[in-house]
Amino acid sequence: FINSNDTLTSLVIPSTISIIPDNFVRNCNALSTVFLPDSINEMKNYAFSQNGILTSINLPIHLNSIGSAFLRGTLINNVKIPDSITQIPQYAFQECYGLESVELHDAITAIGYGAFYNSGIKNIEIPSSVKTIPAVAFSSCNGLESVILQEGVETIGERAFYHCDNL
């Protein structure tokens, strides 16, 4: 595990690794790029959180699971969720201030509580496969300008879009 390293600027994970554990890389203030091989199929909670200038990470095509707050507090700007992911966990993108867009596919069935809370997301399209947008999912996303809800969305939780001043 790597914690509070101010000299690490990029990280390449070897293909012999399949799981990124909890709190794998945290508080590395110079880390801007992470490259993950296609062998990665799971990222645990807080895997790459609180890496203040992290702007680039690829999500492998065989990734089946992402943990809670796995990118919390980074500057990731655009994310394409792989087709193998079916759920966005709670607080996954919390405080990702550089986040502008996340591309969700039609196999996404759930978005977790506070998944995008206080992030910089500007636009998002919720696929019809998502039935519920939970409470606080997009709360305090001040830059959120566009939300496209497909016909399948049935329920919007309390304060799901609270303090989204540009909507």
Side-chain angles (χ1 to χ4, degrees):
F1 303 102
I2 304 168
N3 189 19
S4 299
N5 181 322
D6 289 335
T7 60
L8 181 68
T9 60
S10 67
L11 182 62
V12 176
I13 306 294
S15 62
T16 54
I17 304 295
S18 62
I19 297 173
I20 302 294
D22 288 339
N23 299 300
F24 181 60
V25 178
R26 288 190 72 156
N27 300 314
C28 294
N29 296 323
L31 182 64
S32 64
T33 304
V34 172
F35 178 77
L36 300 171
D38 284 339
S39 61
I40 302 294
N41 59 37
E42 183 177 1
M43 285 199 289
K44 301 281 189 171
N45 299 331
Y46 301 95
F48 292 100
S49 71
Q50 303 302 333
N51 294 299
I53 68 166
L54 181 61
T55 57
S56 178
I57 189 169
N58 64 302
L59 298 183
I61 60 172
H62 300 294
L63 187 63
N64 295 317
S65 170
I66 53 179
S68 176
F70 82 112
L71 286 174
R72 179 182 179 189
T74 66
L75 291 178
I76 295 295
N77 53 16
N78 296 298
V79 176
K80 181 181 186 308
I81 302 297
D83 291 345
S84 51
I85 297 287
T86 60
Q87 299 183 11
I88 306 298
Q90 66 180 7
Y91 301 116
F93 298 99
Q94 178 185 9
E95 298 169 354
C96 290
Y97 300 118
L99 190 65
E100 293 182 6
S101 67
V102 173
E103 186 178 329
L104 302 177
H105 53 79
D106 290 335
I108 296 289
T109 59
I111 294 174
Y113 179 94
F116 297 93
Y117 176 80
N118 199 25
S119 73
I121 194 162
K122 292 184 178 184
N123 58 68
I124 191 155
E125 182 172 346
I126 309 295
S128 60
S129 53
V130 173
K131 302 301 179 208
T132 300
I133 298 173
V136 194
F138 295 92
S139 237
S140 298
C141 293
N142 294 323
L144 188 59
E145 298 172 351
S146 171
V147 176
I148 298 171
L149 302 175
Q150 298 299 327
E151 277 190 41
V153 176
E154 298 170 356
T155 306
I156 297 176
E158 188 176 334
R159 297 184 179 206
F161 296 98
Y162 186 70
H163 284 302
C164 294
D165 301 335
N166 288 320
L167 272 182

